[in-house]
């Protein structure tokens, strides 16, 4: 059971790193789309500074660095608890709840298909971990 949970934690950590890597590209794509839309509306006189401001606001709203850092921190906490022989299932359950919150926040901030798929996979793995943890007391 421990090995299964550790494998799933590895998956979660790797997925968080993939999301971190994809996040800047998502912001850059949005900036390009925003510039294109603004040029459609106002012609070639689109104010590049305004586009940059809107892109910066969007980047701030969709930044998931904090969430991925906390998610990876929770993964480390789970590993530490699993290594402890007197592990309490309730502590693990609480950490899994926190991981779920971080994953949900990531999913609500970024609406890009590859990241959405990762979020779905993360939720699936987390649910399997939750099922395993329920057997620990």
């Amino acid at each position: 059971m421990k090995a299964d949970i550790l494998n799933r934690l590895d998956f979660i950590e790797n997925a968080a790193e993939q999301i971190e890597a994809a996040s800047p590209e998502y912001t850059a794509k949005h900036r390009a789309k925003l510039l294109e839309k603004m040029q459609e509306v106002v012609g070639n006189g689109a104010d590049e500074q305004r586009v940059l401001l809107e892109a910066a606001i969007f980047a701030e709203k969709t930044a998931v660095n904090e969430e991925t850092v906390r998610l990876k921190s929770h993964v480390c906490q789970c590993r530490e608890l699993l290594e402890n022989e007197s592990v309490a299932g309730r502590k693990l359950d609480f950490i899994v709840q926190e991981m779920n919150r971080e994953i949900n926040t990531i999913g609500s901030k970024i609406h890009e298909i590859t990241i959405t798929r990762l979020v779905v996979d993360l939720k699936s793995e987390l649910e399997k971990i939750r099922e395993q943890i329920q057997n620990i007391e």
Side-chain angles (χ1 to χ4, degrees), residues 13 44 60 86 96:
E13 191 170 49
N44 285 336
E60 182 65 30
S86 62
V96 167

Side-chain angles (χ1 to χ4, degrees), residues 42-114:
V42 295
N44 285 336
D47 182 8
E48 181 69 21
Q49 291 301 319
R50 176 66 182 182
V51 172
L52 289 173
L53 176 64
E54 292 295 329
I57 291 169
F58 177 79
E60 182 65 30
K61 287 181 182 179
T62 61
V64 293
N65 292 15
E66 291 179 22
E67 288 80 5
T68 55
V69 166
R70 283 193 297 263
L71 182 58
K72 291 191 291 186
S73 172
H74 296 322
V75 167
C76 289
Q77 287 178 303
C78 281
R79 286 185 181 128
E80 288 171 6
L81 284 171
L82 288 168
E83 293 304 319
N84 184 355
E85 290 302 318
S86 62
V87 67
R90 292 189 192 272
K91 283 184 181 180
L92 286 169
D93 189 48
F94 176 75
I95 293 171
V96 167
Q97 286 176 14
E98 292 300 310
M99 292 169 73
N100 190 50
R101 285 187 186 99
E102 302 303 339
I103 293 167
N104 283 335
T105 302
I106 291 167
S108 68
K109 284 186 167 186
I110 298 184
H111 305 285
E112 200 274 325
I113 192 70
T114 57

Side-chain angles (χ1 to χ4, degrees), residues 11 19 112-124:
F11 175 85
I19 291 169
E112 200 274 325
I113 192 70
T114 57
I115 294 176
T116 300
R117 287 180 179 154
L118 280 172
V119 167
V120 170
D121 291 343
L122 281 167
K123 286 183 175 189
S124 175

